[in-house]
Amino acid sequence: MTAGHPAACDVAVIGAGMAGLCAADVLRDAGLSVVVVDKARGVGGRMATRRLGAAVIDHGAQFFTVRGEPFGAVVTAAREHGAVIPWCTGFARAAAVDQPAAPADDGHLRHRGATGMTDLPKWLAERLGRAQAVIRTNARVTAIAATAEGVRLPLDGGDEIVARGCVVTPPVPQTLDLFAAGGLMGPASGRIDGDAHRLLASVAYDPCFALMLVLDQPSRVPAPGGVQCAAGPIAWLADNQQKGISPVPALTVHASGEFSRARFDDPPDDVMQALRTAAAPWIGAATVVEQSLQRWKFALPITVLEVPFVAATTSPPIVCCGDAFAGPKVEGAASSGMAAGRWIAGALGGA
Ligand SMILES: Cc1cc2nc3c(=O)[nH]c(=O)nc-3n(C[C@H](O)[C@H](O)[C@H](O)COP(=O)(O)OP(=O)(O)OC[C@H]3O[C@@H](n4cnc5c(N)ncnc54)[C@H](O)[C@@H]3O)c2cc1C
């Protein structure tokens, strides 16, 4: 694709997280041509796994549950192909990070990626590739504009995509920025329906610090490898070795929403020190041999809209979806993406 010669397709999907990939899956099934673009180096969005030294660490979503179809069908297929495996039916719970953790088993299955949480989105992306969908990573959309030809998406670097419809999955505040940059908002344009704009503008997220620690000996996190803390600076700790994805002991420490909001702009070294001190009971006698801090700005929606997607415009059809719609978390994002895909397929007359 060269600047001045935009790539054309039926539907452009912005974001290769669970919502975008699941929307693309539905659109390909409907016989539409699909291009998925993501600004990141790989697919998965907040389902994120990385290496740190010899360790493998999930630093975004830690596990997922399945409560309904059609996400259940996706997970069943992914399990059959070895991308997803069951982890457990509950984690230890502590009243606070420095309190003892009691085992908690509610009988409800938690799943994980076989080698890390990115396995499910990677598997979906490979399946989409085999179905002739195009997936472009390292491709940041800089604006969403609506013209007589359809939706125009300029990319960083000068390329452009033109599509008959568009599925938009970035966190909602970032989506509104893309609409503004494309001239879809504001009194002069009036392209976005007022009710849709009000709904989208009401969505807010908590940030989250994810501290990753590689240890020289096993941690004190109890089986099956996770502790949920009800209060204090830490909300969750996981031992990635016990989880079964890291060859060496390595912790993921997620700060609480309150801590992450209050300390979001603090120097990273200060934040790491504060979280390491709070996590000391679970680090135990181990020495930290490597550490890294990830700052998720839009980690978890704290307002969730009670609709599976929001149609921002109908001509051309542009639909917003993701985990802020009809259910946060991985399953909510996937279900929202599928619902948005079905809506666009209907609007464009897909099979
Ligand atoms: C720290 C943390 C812990 C979590 N723990 C859990 C958990 O244990 N269980 C659970 O079920 N859920 C958990 N979640 C939530 C879960 O990860 C999300 O609900 C889900 O992954 C969201 O998927 P999505 O597709 O809606 O959004 P995302 O995964 O955020 O995907 C959006 C994509 O859009 C891309 N994008 C954004 N802007 C642009 C642009 N301008 N151009 C191109 N691409 C763009 C991004 O790179 C991203 O890949 C957690 C999240 C975090 C951050």
mmCIF file of all heavy atoms in Angstrom, residues 14-20 37-40 42 44-47 59-65 139-142 169-171 174 178 208 210 254 296 298-301 321-324 328-331 333, ligand 1:
data_model
loop_
_atom_site.group_PDB
_atom_site.id
_atom_site.type_symbol
_atom_site.label_atom_id
_atom_site.label_comp_id
_atom_site.label_asym_id
_atom_site.label_seq_id
_atom_site.Cartn_x
_atom_site.Cartn_y
_atom_site.Cartn_z
ATOM 1 N N ILE A 14 -10.460 -1.313 13.834
ATOM 2 C CA ILE A 14 -9.352 -0.659 14.546
ATOM 3 C C ILE A 14 -9.174 -1.371 15.879
ATOM 4 O O ILE A 14 -10.051 -1.342 16.741
ATOM 5 C CB ILE A 14 -9.636 0.844 14.781
ATOM 6 C CG1 ILE A 14 -9.985 1.541 13.470
ATOM 7 C CG2 ILE A 14 -8.422 1.499 15.438
ATOM 8 C CD1 ILE A 14 -10.385 3.007 13.636
ATOM 9 N N GLY A 15 -8.022 -2.033 16.030
ATOM 10 C CA GLY A 15 -7.716 -2.743 17.268
ATOM 11 C C GLY A 15 -7.742 -4.241 17.071
ATOM 12 O O GLY A 15 -8.732 -4.801 16.604
ATOM 13 N N ALA A 16 -6.642 -4.908 17.429
ATOM 14 C CA ALA A 16 -6.560 -6.371 17.340
ATOM 15 C C ALA A 16 -6.556 -6.990 18.722
ATOM 16 O O ALA A 16 -5.854 -7.960 18.994
ATOM 17 C CB ALA A 16 -5.327 -6.784 16.547
ATOM 18 N N GLY A 17 -7.335 -6.400 19.646
ATOM 19 C CA GLY A 17 -7.616 -7.045 20.929
ATOM 20 C C GLY A 17 -8.777 -8.013 20.734
ATOM 21 O O GLY A 17 -9.178 -8.324 19.594
ATOM 22 N N MET A 18 -9.334 -8.488 21.844
ATOM 23 C CA MET A 18 -10.408 -9.494 21.731
ATOM 24 C C MET A 18 -11.622 -8.959 20.982
ATOM 25 O O MET A 18 -12.233 -9.675 20.183
ATOM 26 C CB MET A 18 -10.815 -9.970 23.128
ATOM 27 C CG MET A 18 -9.839 -10.920 23.752
ATOM 28 S SD MET A 18 -9.445 -12.326 22.702
ATOM 29 C CE MET A 18 -10.994 -13.223 22.759
ATOM 30 N N ALA A 19 -11.997 -7.688 21.231
ATOM 31 C CA ALA A 19 -13.193 -7.153 20.568
ATOM 32 C C ALA A 19 -12.971 -7.092 19.059
ATOM 33 O O ALA A 19 -13.819 -7.542 18.276
ATOM 34 C CB ALA A 19 -13.531 -5.770 21.123
ATOM 35 N N GLY A 20 -11.828 -6.555 18.639
ATOM 36 C CA GLY A 20 -11.562 -6.394 17.211
ATOM 37 C C GLY A 20 -11.445 -7.733 16.489
ATOM 38 O O GLY A 20 -11.998 -7.927 15.401
ATOM 39 N N VAL A 37 -6.369 -3.303 11.910
ATOM 40 C CA VAL A 37 -5.125 -2.549 12.135
ATOM 41 C C VAL A 37 -4.918 -2.345 13.630
ATOM 42 O O VAL A 37 -5.866 -2.077 14.366
ATOM 43 C CB VAL A 37 -5.125 -1.162 11.452
ATOM 44 C CG1 VAL A 37 -4.836 -1.273 9.985
ATOM 45 C CG2 VAL A 37 -6.401 -0.396 11.693
ATOM 46 N N ASP A 38 -3.686 -2.475 14.060
ATOM 47 C CA ASP A 38 -3.370 -2.212 15.472
ATOM 48 C C ASP A 38 -2.055 -1.452 15.562
ATOM 49 O O ASP A 38 -1.101 -1.752 14.838
ATOM 50 C CB ASP A 38 -3.285 -3.513 16.278
ATOM 51 C CG ASP A 38 -3.473 -3.261 17.768
ATOM 52 O OD1 ASP A 38 -2.625 -2.557 18.379
ATOM 53 O OD2 ASP A 38 -4.485 -3.722 18.321
ATOM 54 N N LYS A 39 -2.012 -0.514 16.466
ATOM 55 C CA LYS A 39 -0.803 0.306 16.620
ATOM 56 C C LYS A 39 0.327 -0.468 17.307
ATOM 57 O O LYS A 39 1.491 -0.081 17.194
ATOM 58 C CB LYS A 39 -1.127 1.570 17.413
ATOM 59 C CG LYS A 39 -1.520 1.326 18.853
ATOM 60 C CD LYS A 39 -1.901 2.627 19.553
ATOM 61 C CE LYS A 39 -2.261 2.361 21.009
ATOM 62 N NZ LYS A 39 -2.720 3.552 21.717
ATOM 63 N N ALA A 40 -0.013 -1.554 17.997
ATOM 64 C CA ALA A 40 1.011 -2.292 18.749
ATOM 65 C C ALA A 40 1.813 -3.209 17.840
ATOM 66 O O ALA A 40 1.452 -3.447 16.689
ATOM 67 C CB ALA A 40 0.344 -3.096 19.861
ATOM 68 N N GLY A 42 2.239 -6.406 18.294
ATOM 69 C CA GLY A 42 1.574 -7.699 18.140
ATOM 70 C C GLY A 42 0.100 -7.567 18.422
ATOM 71 O O GLY A 42 -0.392 -6.484 18.756
ATOM 72 N N GLY A 44 -3.534 -8.678 20.514
ATOM 73 C CA GLY A 44 -3.931 -9.047 21.876
ATOM 74 C C GLY A 44 -4.385 -7.898 22.742
ATOM 75 O O GLY A 44 -5.149 -8.095 23.665
ATOM 76 N N GLY A 45 -3.861 -6.683 22.476
ATOM 77 C CA GLY A 45 -4.253 -5.541 23.300
ATOM 78 C C GLY A 45 -3.926 -5.796 24.766
ATOM 79 O O GLY A 45 -2.774 -6.096 25.117
ATOM 80 N N ARG A 46 -4.960 -5.735 25.605
ATOM 81 C CA ARG A 46 -4.739 -5.909 27.045
ATOM 82 C C ARG A 46 -4.598 -7.380 27.444
ATOM 83 O O ARG A 46 -4.400 -7.685 28.622
ATOM 84 C CB ARG A 46 -5.865 -5.222 27.833
ATOM 85 C CG ARG A 46 -5.652 -3.721 27.959
ATOM 86 C CD ARG A 46 -6.865 -3.025 28.532
ATOM 87 N NE ARG A 46 -7.847 -2.740 27.506
ATOM 88 C CZ ARG A 46 -9.125 -2.431 27.746
ATOM 89 N NH1 ARG A 46 -9.555 -2.404 28.980
ATOM 90 N NH2 ARG A 46 -9.943 -2.163 26.747
ATOM 91 N N MET A 47 -4.699 -8.305 26.509
ATOM 92 C CA MET A 47 -4.281 -9.694 26.781
ATOM 93 C C MET A 47 -2.819 -9.748 26.367
ATOM 94 O O MET A 47 -2.498 -9.929 25.185
ATOM 95 C CB MET A 47 -5.131 -10.683 25.999
ATOM 96 C CG MET A 47 -6.522 -10.787 26.590
ATOM 97 S SD MET A 47 -7.532 -11.977 25.739
ATOM 98 C CE MET A 47 -7.094 -13.502 26.564
ATOM 99 N N HIS A 59 1.050 -9.651 31.893
ATOM 100 C CA HIS A 59 1.002 -8.407 32.680
ATOM 101 C C HIS A 59 -0.299 -7.636 32.496
ATOM 102 O O HIS A 59 -0.557 -6.672 33.191
ATOM 103 C CB HIS A 59 2.211 -7.517 32.385
ATOM 104 C CG HIS A 59 2.403 -7.159 30.955
ATOM 105 N ND1 HIS A 59 2.128 -5.914 30.467
ATOM 106 C CD2 HIS A 59 2.839 -7.883 29.909
ATOM 107 C CE1 HIS A 59 2.392 -5.904 29.168
ATOM 108 N NE2 HIS A 59 2.823 -7.084 28.810
ATOM 109 N N GLY A 60 -1.166 -8.067 31.560
ATOM 110 C CA GLY A 60 -2.513 -7.496 31.448
ATOM 111 C C GLY A 60 -3.496 -8.473 32.062
ATOM 112 O O GLY A 60 -3.343 -8.873 33.221
ATOM 113 N N ALA A 61 -4.505 -8.871 31.274
ATOM 114 C CA ALA A 61 -5.498 -9.834 31.784
ATOM 115 C C ALA A 61 -4.789 -11.102 32.257
ATOM 116 O O ALA A 61 -3.824 -11.566 31.641
ATOM 117 C CB ALA A 61 -6.503 -10.169 30.691
ATOM 118 N N GLN A 62 -5.287 -11.672 33.351
ATOM 119 C CA GLN A 62 -4.640 -12.823 33.989
ATOM 120 C C GLN A 62 -5.309 -14.153 33.673
ATOM 121 O O GLN A 62 -4.686 -15.198 33.691
ATOM 122 C CB GLN A 62 -4.653 -12.614 35.507
ATOM 123 C CG GLN A 62 -3.919 -11.361 35.927
ATOM 124 C CD GLN A 62 -2.426 -11.482 35.698
ATOM 125 O OE1 GLN A 62 -1.765 -12.285 36.333
ATOM 126 N NE2 GLN A 62 -1.886 -10.712 34.773
ATOM 127 N N PHE A 63 -6.616 -14.091 33.461
ATOM 128 C CA PHE A 63 -7.398 -15.308 33.189
ATOM 129 C C PHE A 63 -8.719 -14.841 32.620
ATOM 130 O O PHE A 63 -8.992 -13.629 32.580
ATOM 131 C CB PHE A 63 -7.623 -16.118 34.480
ATOM 132 C CG PHE A 63 -8.355 -15.352 35.548
ATOM 133 C CD1 PHE A 63 -9.748 -15.344 35.602
ATOM 134 C CD2 PHE A 63 -7.654 -14.597 36.492
ATOM 135 C CE1 PHE A 63 -10.425 -14.615 36.573
ATOM 136 C CE2 PHE A 63 -8.336 -13.855 37.467
ATOM 137 C CZ PHE A 63 -9.723 -13.868 37.497
ATOM 138 N N PHE A 64 -9.534 -15.760 32.156
ATOM 139 C CA PHE A 64 -10.873 -15.347 31.745
ATOM 140 C C PHE A 64 -11.869 -16.451 32.046
ATOM 141 O O PHE A 64 -11.514 -17.618 32.198
ATOM 142 C CB PHE A 64 -10.928 -14.921 30.268
ATOM 143 C CG PHE A 64 -10.511 -15.981 29.306
ATOM 144 C CD1 PHE A 64 -11.441 -16.866 28.792
ATOM 145 C CD2 PHE A 64 -9.192 -16.104 28.919
ATOM 146 C CE1 PHE A 64 -11.073 -17.848 27.902
ATOM 147 C CE2 PHE A 64 -8.805 -17.093 28.038
ATOM 148 C CZ PHE A 64 -9.741 -17.976 27.534
ATOM 149 N N THR A 65 -13.112 -16.029 32.154
ATOM 150 C CA THR A 65 -14.197 -16.967 32.429
ATOM 151 C C THR A 65 -15.117 -16.994 31.219
ATOM 152 O O THR A 65 -15.058 -16.109 30.359
ATOM 153 C CB THR A 65 -14.987 -16.513 33.676
ATOM 154 O OG1 THR A 65 -15.312 -15.132 33.518
ATOM 155 C CG2 THR A 65 -14.176 -16.685 34.934
ATOM 156 N N ALA A 139 0.547 -0.279 13.075
ATOM 157 C CA ALA A 139 -0.218 0.612 12.187
ATOM 158 C C ALA A 139 -1.203 1.421 13.038
ATOM 159 O O ALA A 139 -2.254 0.920 13.417
ATOM 160 C CB ALA A 139 -0.963 -0.209 11.134
ATOM 161 N N ARG A 140 -0.809 2.643 13.335
ATOM 162 C CA ARG A 140 -1.645 3.500 14.193
ATOM 163 C C ARG A 140 -2.593 4.330 13.337
ATOM 164 O O ARG A 140 -2.156 5.051 12.426
ATOM 165 C CB ARG A 140 -0.755 4.431 15.011
ATOM 166 C CG ARG A 140 -1.540 5.419 15.902
ATOM 167 C CD ARG A 140 -0.618 6.497 16.430
ATOM 168 N NE ARG A 140 0.349 5.953 17.363
ATOM 169 C CZ ARG A 140 0.154 5.879 18.673
ATOM 170 N NH1 ARG A 140 -0.958 6.339 19.198
ATOM 171 N NH2 ARG A 140 1.079 5.375 19.444
ATOM 172 N N VAL A 141 -3.883 4.225 13.605
ATOM 173 C CA VAL A 141 -4.879 5.078 12.951
ATOM 174 C C VAL A 141 -4.811 6.443 13.621
ATOM 175 O O VAL A 141 -4.783 6.547 14.852
ATOM 176 C CB VAL A 141 -6.287 4.460 13.110
ATOM 177 C CG1 VAL A 141 -7.360 5.405 12.598
ATOM 178 C CG2 VAL A 141 -6.362 3.115 12.402
ATOM 179 N N THR A 142 -4.781 7.510 12.817
ATOM 180 C CA THR A 142 -4.653 8.847 13.422
ATOM 181 C C THR A 142 -5.969 9.624 13.401
ATOM 182 O O THR A 142 -6.070 10.661 14.048
ATOM 183 C CB THR A 142 -3.557 9.665 12.701
ATOM 184 O OG1 THR A 142 -3.881 9.732 11.307
ATOM 185 C CG2 THR A 142 -2.199 9.031 12.869
ATOM 186 N N THR A 169 -12.440 -0.224 18.286
ATOM 187 C CA THR A 169 -12.331 -0.902 19.585
ATOM 188 C C THR A 169 -11.358 -0.285 20.592
ATOM 189 O O THR A 169 -11.244 -0.819 21.693
ATOM 190 C CB THR A 169 -11.943 -2.395 19.398
ATOM 191 O OG1 THR A 169 -10.544 -2.481 19.068
ATOM 192 C CG2 THR A 169 -12.764 -3.086 18.335
ATOM 193 N N PRO A 170 -10.629 0.794 20.270
ATOM 194 C CA PRO A 170 -9.752 1.336 21.322
ATOM 195 C C PRO A 170 -10.573 1.782 22.536
ATOM 196 O O PRO A 170 -11.789 1.975 22.415
ATOM 197 C CB PRO A 170 -9.085 2.549 20.649
ATOM 198 C CG PRO A 170 -9.163 2.277 19.190
ATOM 199 C CD PRO A 170 -10.457 1.522 19.006
ATOM 200 N N PRO A 171 -9.921 1.945 23.703
ATOM 201 C CA PRO A 171 -10.645 2.512 24.837
ATOM 202 C C PRO A 171 -11.395 3.777 24.401
ATOM 203 O O PRO A 171 -10.894 4.558 23.569
ATOM 204 C CB PRO A 171 -9.519 2.814 25.834
ATOM 205 C CG PRO A 171 -8.465 1.804 25.517
ATOM 206 C CD PRO A 171 -8.517 1.632 24.022
ATOM 207 N N GLN A 174 -9.965 7.322 23.755
ATOM 208 C CA GLN A 174 -9.092 7.379 22.576
ATOM 209 C C GLN A 174 -9.926 7.372 21.288
ATOM 210 O O GLN A 174 -9.577 8.013 20.299
ATOM 211 C CB GLN A 174 -8.116 6.202 22.585
ATOM 212 C CG GLN A 174 -7.148 6.263 23.759
ATOM 213 C CD GLN A 174 -6.173 5.088 23.786
ATOM 214 O OE1 GLN A 174 -6.455 4.013 23.257
ATOM 215 N NE2 GLN A 174 -5.037 5.292 24.411
ATOM 216 N N LEU A 178 -10.083 10.098 18.131
ATOM 217 C CA LEU A 178 -9.982 9.760 16.697
ATOM 218 C C LEU A 178 -11.160 10.365 15.917
ATOM 219 O O LEU A 178 -10.997 10.852 14.796
ATOM 220 C CB LEU A 178 -9.937 8.241 16.499
ATOM 221 C CG LEU A 178 -8.688 7.527 17.031
ATOM 222 C CD1 LEU A 178 -8.846 6.016 16.924
ATOM 223 C CD2 LEU A 178 -7.441 7.978 16.252
ATOM 224 N N CYS A 208 -4.048 1.099 35.750
ATOM 225 C CA CYS A 208 -3.480 0.009 36.569
ATOM 226 C C CYS A 208 -1.977 -0.092 36.325
ATOM 227 O O CYS A 208 -1.526 -0.168 35.186
ATOM 228 C CB CYS A 208 -4.140 -1.331 36.218
ATOM 229 S SG CYS A 208 -3.500 -2.713 37.190
ATOM 230 N N ALA A 210 1.155 -2.471 36.486
ATOM 231 C CA ALA A 210 1.517 -3.890 36.564
ATOM 232 C C ALA A 210 3.018 -3.965 36.818
ATOM 233 O O ALA A 210 3.814 -3.580 35.954
ATOM 234 C CB ALA A 210 1.154 -4.610 35.276
ATOM 235 N N HIS A 254 -0.545 -6.447 40.438
ATOM 236 C CA HIS A 254 -1.422 -5.390 39.918
ATOM 237 C C HIS A 254 -1.818 -4.466 41.058
ATOM 238 O O HIS A 254 -2.375 -4.905 42.072
ATOM 239 C CB HIS A 254 -2.688 -5.987 39.295
ATOM 240 C CG HIS A 254 -2.457 -6.524 37.923
ATOM 241 N ND1 HIS A 254 -3.316 -7.398 37.302
ATOM 242 C CD2 HIS A 254 -1.460 -6.285 37.032
ATOM 243 C CE1 HIS A 254 -2.843 -7.685 36.104
ATOM 244 N NE2 HIS A 254 -1.722 -7.025 35.918
ATOM 245 N N TRP A 296 -0.822 0.808 32.619
ATOM 246 C CA TRP A 296 -2.003 0.739 31.757
ATOM 247 C C TRP A 296 -2.867 1.951 32.063
ATOM 248 O O TRP A 296 -3.397 2.079 33.165
ATOM 249 C CB TRP A 296 -2.813 -0.520 32.038
ATOM 250 C CG TRP A 296 -2.135 -1.818 31.717
ATOM 251 C CD1 TRP A 296 -1.534 -2.660 32.604
ATOM 252 C CD2 TRP A 296 -2.020 -2.444 30.433
ATOM 253 N NE1 TRP A 296 -1.040 -3.757 31.950
ATOM 254 C CE2 TRP A 296 -1.327 -3.658 30.617
ATOM 255 C CE3 TRP A 296 -2.426 -2.098 29.144
ATOM 256 C CZ2 TRP A 296 -1.038 -4.526 29.566
ATOM 257 C CZ3 TRP A 296 -2.143 -2.951 28.105
ATOM 258 C CH2 TRP A 296 -1.461 -4.144 28.311
ATOM 259 N N PHE A 298 -5.753 2.960 30.427
ATOM 260 C CA PHE A 298 -7.174 2.595 30.368
ATOM 261 C C PHE A 298 -7.263 1.090 30.625
ATOM 262 O O PHE A 298 -7.402 0.302 29.699
ATOM 263 C CB PHE A 298 -7.763 2.942 28.997
ATOM 264 C CG PHE A 298 -7.668 4.415 28.672
ATOM 265 C CD1 PHE A 298 -6.755 4.887 27.747
ATOM 266 C CD2 PHE A 298 -8.501 5.326 29.308
ATOM 267 C CE1 PHE A 298 -6.668 6.245 27.447
ATOM 268 C CE2 PHE A 298 -8.425 6.679 29.023
ATOM 269 C CZ PHE A 298 -7.508 7.138 28.097
ATOM 270 N N ALA A 299 -7.144 0.709 31.900
ATOM 271 C CA ALA A 299 -7.042 -0.722 32.208
ATOM 272 C C ALA A 299 -8.392 -1.394 32.279
ATOM 273 O O ALA A 299 -8.641 -2.397 31.615
ATOM 274 C CB ALA A 299 -6.293 -0.908 33.530
ATOM 275 N N LEU A 300 -9.283 -0.842 33.102
ATOM 276 C CA LEU A 300 -10.567 -1.501 33.372
ATOM 277 C C LEU A 300 -11.662 -0.455 33.370
ATOM 278 O O LEU A 300 -11.544 0.554 34.073
ATOM 279 C CB LEU A 300 -10.513 -2.192 34.749
ATOM 280 C CG LEU A 300 -9.422 -3.259 34.891
ATOM 281 C CD1 LEU A 300 -9.150 -3.562 36.356
ATOM 282 C CD2 LEU A 300 -9.834 -4.534 34.154
ATOM 283 N N PRO A 301 -12.730 -0.665 32.600
ATOM 284 C CA PRO A 301 -13.812 0.326 32.598
ATOM 285 C C PRO A 301 -14.509 0.364 33.954
ATOM 286 O O PRO A 301 -14.812 -0.680 34.516
ATOM 287 C CB PRO A 301 -14.763 -0.173 31.500
ATOM 288 C CG PRO A 301 -14.393 -1.571 31.246
ATOM 289 C CD PRO A 301 -12.995 -1.796 31.727
ATOM 290 N N CYS A 321 -17.157 -0.638 20.042
ATOM 291 C CA CYS A 321 -17.386 -1.801 20.893
ATOM 292 C C CYS A 321 -16.129 -2.067 21.717
ATOM 293 O O CYS A 321 -15.128 -1.385 21.567
ATOM 294 C CB CYS A 321 -17.756 -3.020 20.038
ATOM 295 S SG CYS A 321 -16.477 -3.508 18.880
ATOM 296 N N GLY A 322 -16.217 -3.060 22.592
ATOM 297 C CA GLY A 322 -15.079 -3.388 23.452
ATOM 298 C C GLY A 322 -15.576 -3.685 24.855
ATOM 299 O O GLY A 322 -16.774 -3.883 25.074
ATOM 300 N N ASP A 323 -14.638 -3.689 25.817
ATOM 301 C CA ASP A 323 -15.033 -4.147 27.151
ATOM 302 C C ASP A 323 -15.823 -3.113 27.946
ATOM 303 O O ASP A 323 -16.273 -3.427 29.040
ATOM 304 C CB ASP A 323 -13.802 -4.628 27.940
ATOM 305 C CG ASP A 323 -12.834 -3.516 28.282
ATOM 306 O OD1 ASP A 323 -12.891 -2.442 27.656
ATOM 307 O OD2 ASP A 323 -11.999 -3.737 29.195
ATOM 308 N N ALA A 324 -16.016 -1.915 27.399
ATOM 309 C CA ALA A 324 -16.859 -0.929 28.101
ATOM 310 C C ALA A 324 -18.330 -1.103 27.743
ATOM 311 O O ALA A 324 -19.171 -0.334 28.207
ATOM 312 C CB ALA A 324 -16.405 0.485 27.760
ATOM 313 N N PRO A 328 -17.556 -5.820 31.267
ATOM 314 C CA PRO A 328 -16.112 -5.633 31.175
ATOM 315 C C PRO A 328 -15.418 -6.984 31.072
ATOM 316 O O PRO A 328 -16.070 -8.014 31.115
ATOM 317 C CB PRO A 328 -15.774 -4.940 32.503
ATOM 318 C CG PRO A 328 -16.815 -5.425 33.453
ATOM 319 C CD PRO A 328 -18.057 -5.696 32.636
ATOM 320 N N LYS A 329 -14.162 -7.003 30.968
ATOM 321 C CA LYS A 329 -13.336 -8.205 30.945
ATOM 322 C C LYS A 329 -13.299 -8.831 29.550
ATOM 323 O O LYS A 329 -13.934 -8.349 28.619
ATOM 324 C CB LYS A 329 -13.784 -9.211 31.997
ATOM 325 C CG LYS A 329 -13.752 -8.619 33.411
ATOM 326 C CD LYS A 329 -13.928 -9.678 34.453
ATOM 327 C CE LYS A 329 -13.753 -9.104 35.844
ATOM 328 N NZ LYS A 329 -12.366 -8.845 36.193
ATOM 329 N N VAL A 330 -12.538 -9.923 29.479
ATOM 330 C CA VAL A 330 -12.259 -10.556 28.189
ATOM 331 C C VAL A 330 -13.544 -11.018 27.516
ATOM 332 O O VAL A 330 -13.789 -10.754 26.333
ATOM 333 C CB VAL A 330 -11.273 -11.734 28.396
ATOM 334 C CG1 VAL A 330 -11.144 -12.556 27.129
ATOM 335 C CG2 VAL A 330 -9.917 -11.209 28.854
ATOM 336 N N GLU A 331 -14.397 -11.719 28.270
ATOM 337 C CA GLU A 331 -15.623 -12.233 27.642
ATOM 338 C C GLU A 331 -16.518 -11.086 27.165
ATOM 339 O O GLU A 331 -17.115 -11.163 26.087
ATOM 340 C CB GLU A 331 -16.409 -13.135 28.597
ATOM 341 C CG GLU A 331 -17.703 -13.605 27.940
ATOM 342 C CD GLU A 331 -18.380 -14.760 28.638
ATOM 343 O OE1 GLU A 331 -18.115 -14.991 29.834
ATOM 344 O OE2 GLU A 331 -19.193 -15.452 27.978
ATOM 345 N N ALA A 333 -15.594 -8.088 26.199
ATOM 346 C CA ALA A 333 -14.996 -7.507 24.993
ATOM 347 C C ALA A 333 -15.300 -8.376 23.775
ATOM 348 O O ALA A 333 -15.680 -7.880 22.706
ATOM 349 C CB ALA A 333 -13.487 -7.360 25.184
HETATM 350 C C1 LIG B 1 -3.981 -5.024 34.258
HETATM 351 C C2 LIG B 1 -5.215 -5.659 33.694
HETATM 352 C C3 LIG B 1 -5.720 -6.822 34.243
HETATM 353 C C4 LIG B 1 -6.872 -7.426 33.708
HETATM 354 N N1 LIG B 1 -7.281 -8.624 34.227
HETATM 355 C C5 LIG B 1 -8.308 -9.263 33.626
HETATM 356 C C6 LIG B 1 -8.644 -10.586 33.998
HETATM 357 O O1 LIG B 1 -7.967 -11.205 34.813
HETATM 358 N N2 LIG B 1 -9.711 -11.174 33.393
HETATM 359 C C7 LIG B 1 -10.437 -10.541 32.417
HETATM 360 O O2 LIG B 1 -11.383 -11.148 31.885
HETATM 361 N N3 LIG B 1 -10.108 -9.309 32.014
HETATM 362 C C8 LIG B 1 -9.056 -8.655 32.582
HETATM 363 N N4 LIG B 1 -8.681 -7.428 32.146
HETATM 364 C C9 LIG B 1 -9.505 -6.764 31.140
HETATM 365 C C10 LIG B 1 -9.284 -7.339 29.742
HETATM 366 O O3 LIG B 1 -7.919 -7.373 29.451
HETATM 367 C C11 LIG B 1 -10.026 -6.442 28.760
HETATM 368 O O4 LIG B 1 -11.389 -6.337 29.145
HETATM 369 C C12 LIG B 1 -10.009 -6.944 27.324
HETATM 370 O O5 LIG B 1 -8.779 -7.521 26.971
HETATM 371 C C13 LIG B 1 -10.335 -5.735 26.443
HETATM 372 O O6 LIG B 1 -10.333 -6.098 25.077
HETATM 373 P P1 LIG B 1 -10.679 -4.994 23.976
HETATM 374 O O7 LIG B 1 -10.523 -5.628 22.665
HETATM 375 O O8 LIG B 1 -11.981 -4.345 24.327
HETATM 376 O O9 LIG B 1 -9.598 -3.821 24.178
HETATM 377 P P2 LIG B 1 -8.013 -3.874 24.010
HETATM 378 O O10 LIG B 1 -7.475 -5.190 24.380
HETATM 379 O O11 LIG B 1 -7.512 -2.678 24.746
HETATM 380 O O12 LIG B 1 -7.805 -3.686 22.440
HETATM 381 C C14 LIG B 1 -7.833 -2.427 21.813
HETATM 382 C C15 LIG B 1 -6.727 -2.409 20.777
HETATM 383 O O13 LIG B 1 -6.824 -1.183 20.045
HETATM 384 C C16 LIG B 1 -5.502 -0.804 19.693
HETATM 385 N N5 LIG B 1 -5.523 0.625 19.387
HETATM 386 C C17 LIG B 1 -5.827 1.659 20.225
HETATM 387 N N6 LIG B 1 -5.730 2.834 19.553
HETATM 388 C C18 LIG B 1 -5.368 2.533 18.281
HETATM 389 C C19 LIG B 1 -5.118 3.328 17.105
HETATM 390 N N7 LIG B 1 -5.220 4.669 17.128
HETATM 391 N N8 LIG B 1 -4.754 2.697 15.964
HETATM 392 C C20 LIG B 1 -4.641 1.335 15.906
HETATM 393 N N9 LIG B 1 -4.865 0.539 17.015
HETATM 394 C C21 LIG B 1 -5.231 1.124 18.159
HETATM 395 C C22 LIG B 1 -4.673 -1.146 20.943
HETATM 396 O O14 LIG B 1 -3.301 -1.276 20.621
HETATM 397 C C23 LIG B 1 -5.326 -2.451 21.381
HETATM 398 O O15 LIG B 1 -4.629 -3.576 20.860
HETATM 399 C C24 LIG B 1 -7.528 -6.821 32.631
HETATM 400 C C25 LIG B 1 -7.006 -5.659 32.050
HETATM 401 C C26 LIG B 1 -5.848 -5.100 32.567
HETATM 402 C C27 LIG B 1 -5.263 -3.884 31.893
#
